[in-house]
Amino acid sequence: MSDQPRPRASLRTAVVWEVLKEALDRQVKAAGRDTLDVLDTGGGTGNFAVPVARLGHRVTVVDPSPNALFALERRAAEAGVADRVRGVQGDILGLFDVVERGGFDAVLCHGVLEYVDEPAEGVRNAVAALRPSGALSLLAAGLGGAVLARALAGHFTEARQALTDPAGRWGEGDPVPRRFTAEQLSELVSGAGLEVGAVHGVRVFADLVPGVLVDTEPGAVDALLKLEAAAAELPAFHSVATQLHVLGEKRP
């Protein structure tokens, strides 16, 4: 975790970062070179792009927001990796209008599929951007986490609505257009021709624990991080995670 901050914010990214870093290390060995070409679709202000660049890799961020790309440029400069981070305006459905096919060793698709009209097409584009033996890191909102959160907040009708709605939405006011189960994400990855390497539940507990407890109890953040890591790979907890992470790997 040396490339990620340790405060409470790390609870949102710790599990994904560890899986991603290990996958990048495998790609380095497979490619026989220290520097990889990484594509971050919907990478915004660089929450993952900048730490990946700190590892020595070249990162191209594709995002529809000019403001996010401006913030990315500033953040990369402050981190001393401006020469390894490139921002391009675009989106995953029009990906090859702005980047080349088959040009990347790894593709990050985090928080994107919830907002596109055709998630399957988005995944296919991400896979088409990979070189042989490349890896896809896919992160999306989990259905079960939303159901549990609404129920614990006392919104039982909304919880049931999310559970039965085809898109996993709890009502008109739901800011997330679409949610997924682990099975649905795995099918999208395998359907695009990748082998599913790992599935993790993300933020299984972090969004349910009162913030005051985490912020004031000595050692609580580290203990919660360890609990999240221990539960992440267990299928029993995938169904209640706020987010789901699937690692897909392209076999030559």
Side-chain angles (χ1 to χ4, degrees), residues 1 4-6 9-20 48 202-203 225-226 228-229:
M1 288 294 297
Q4 282 276 54
R6 292 292 294 178
S10 65
L11 290 167
R12 294 180 174 270
T13 58
V15 168
V16 178
W17 174 250
E18 291 301 327
V19 176
L20 176 61
F48 281 91
V202 179
R203 290 156 57 192
L225 279 168
K226 291 176 182 177
E228 288 279 356

Side-chain angles (χ1 to χ4, degrees), residues 102-146:
F104 299 91
D105 301 290
V107 174
L108 281 57
C109 183
H110 296 172
V112 172
L113 296 188
E114 300 95 322
Y115 300 97
V116 299
D117 293 333
E118 298 292 340
E121 182 182 347
V123 175
R124 287 194 297 269
N125 282 354
V127 172
L130 288 172
R131 290 171 177 154
S133 300
L136 169 67
S137 175
L138 183 63
L139 181 69
L143 170 62

Side-chain angles (χ1 to χ4, degrees), residues 13-173:
T13 58
V15 168
V16 178
W17 174 250
E18 291 301 327
V19 176
L20 176 61
K21 189 173 182 298
E22 290 175 4
L24 292 175
D25 288 343
R26 288 195 299 273
Q27 290 299 311
V28 164
K29 293 178 181 177
R33 47 190 165 80
D34 294 332
T35 300
L36 302 176
D37 292 302
V38 179
L39 173 64
D40 189 353
T41 64
T45 60
N47 286 341
F48 281 91
V50 170
V52 168
R54 283 200 196 107
L55 296 177
H57 305 306
R58 293 182 293 265
V59 187
T60 299
V61 176
V62 175
D63 196 278
S65 168
N67 290 336
L69 293 174
F70 177 77
L72 166 71
E73 183 178 353
R74 183 176 57 195
R75 187 174 187 172
E78 292 173 350
V81 294
D83 59 327
R84 294 197 293 273
V85 176
R86 179 174 72 105
V88 181
Q89 189 172 1
D91 60 58
I92 197 166
L93 296 185
L95 190 59
F96 301 115
D97 293 334
V98 294
V99 301
E100 63 176 313
R101 292 178 181 269
F104 299 91
D105 301 290
V107 174
L108 281 57
C109 183
H110 296 172
V112 172
L113 296 188
E114 300 95 322
Y115 300 97
V116 299
D117 293 333
E118 298 292 340
E121 182 182 347
V123 175
R124 287 194 297 269
N125 282 354
V127 172
L130 288 172
R131 290 171 177 154
S133 300
L136 169 67
S137 175
L138 183 63
L139 181 69
L143 170 62
V147 173
L148 185 61
R150 301 314 291 174
L152 290 178
H155 303 300
F156 307 121
T157 300
E158 290 179 351
R160 183 167 56 86
Q161 171 68 18
L163 192 60
T164 57
D165 184 73
R169 304 187 75 233
W170 47 257
E172 290 297 324

